[in-house]
Amino acid sequence: LTYCRERDTSMDTTRTDKAASRILLVVAGVLIDGEGRILLAQRPPGKPLAGLWEFPGGKVEPHEAPEQALIREMHEELGIDIASGCLAPFTFVSENIGSRHLLMPLYVCRRWRGQPVGKEGQALAWVTADQLDAYPMPAPDRPLIPLLKELILG
Ligand code: 9L3
Ligand code: MG
């Protein structure tokens, strides 16, 4: 899988690089607590899509496995530690966003060390499956709601 970081786009000169620069590889986590609630994080002011509620995560760096990237992002953004064995593949988003194409694998996680806090000033919310519809989300996250309801409510 070829991918590159957003800031590399301007350096692309060849056709191959241009194609690769359109792909945005992002990983996201569905953290579920003991009561079956899901963690949503609000994108902070100044960032793209500010104010929208998302499944927390971020870009996969070059030479990083998606699971590693998610563990790193959860540590940086939420201050929690996740063991690699605690990540279960959930689903995969593949969608055009503007001029880019987002590829976003998602993992479910029910066990971690520490208590999630918004390390980057982002608000957090633990929401039940039924409450998910009430939170405005980025377009790629929204279609996941029915899948999550099925996962949690059975
Ligand atoms: N994105 C969408 N849904 C998500 C996440 C974590 C990210 N659950 C999109 C928003 C940005 C891009 O992926 O367009 C990169 O995310 P970030 O690095 O700005 O968090
Ligand atoms: Mg992020």
Side-chain angles (χ1 to χ4, degrees):
L1 181 63
T2 315
Y3 59 88
C4 82
R5 283 179 284 182
E6 223 155 19
R7 64 171 168 277
D8 296 336
T9 309
S10 62
M11 293 170 2
D12 295 332
T13 48
T14 68
R15 259 181 77 183
T16 311
D17 284 351
K18 275 196 181 125
S21 73
R22 296 191 56 242
I23 296 175
L24 186 58
L25 181 57
V26 170
V27 63
V30 176
L31 271 62
I32 303 177
D33 74 5
E35 288 152 53
R37 294 177 306 184
I38 296 165
L39 184 66
L40 293 181
Q42 191 175 33
R43 295 182 62 88
K47 265 198 163 190
L49 309 170
L52 298 183
W53 294 85
E54 67 178 9
F55 306 104
K59 293 185 202 74
V60 179
E61 300 285 340
H63 312 299
E64 203 175 33
E67 292 91 337
Q68 275 181 302
L70 184 58
I71 289 167
R72 175 182 53 72
E73 289 280 349
M74 297 300 87
H75 185 81
E76 290 172 1
E77 293 187 358
L78 302 175
I80 59 169
D81 293 302
I82 299 176
S84 55
C86 293
L87 292 176
F90 175 51
T91 189
F92 202 95
V93 167
S94 174
E95 208 182 286
N96 286 321
I97 49 165
S99 60
R100 318 287 302 273
H101 192 91
L102 176 73
L103 292 179
M104 185 169 73
L106 284 104
Y107 293 82
V108 168
C109 178
R110 296 176 188 268
R111 283 186 59 185
W112 54 86
R113 189 175 303 183
Q115 178 65 32
V117 287
K119 288 279 183 187
E120 297 173 348
Q122 74 278 36
L124 301 180
W126 287 102
V127 306
T128 63
D130 289 334
Q131 293 168 339
L132 283 169
D133 296 302
Y135 288 79
M137 288 184 187
D141 296 60
R142 184 145 289 280
L144 300 168
I145 294 178
L147 295 176
L148 284 166
K149 287 186 179 171
E150 203 177 302
L151 178 78
I152 288 176
L153 304 174

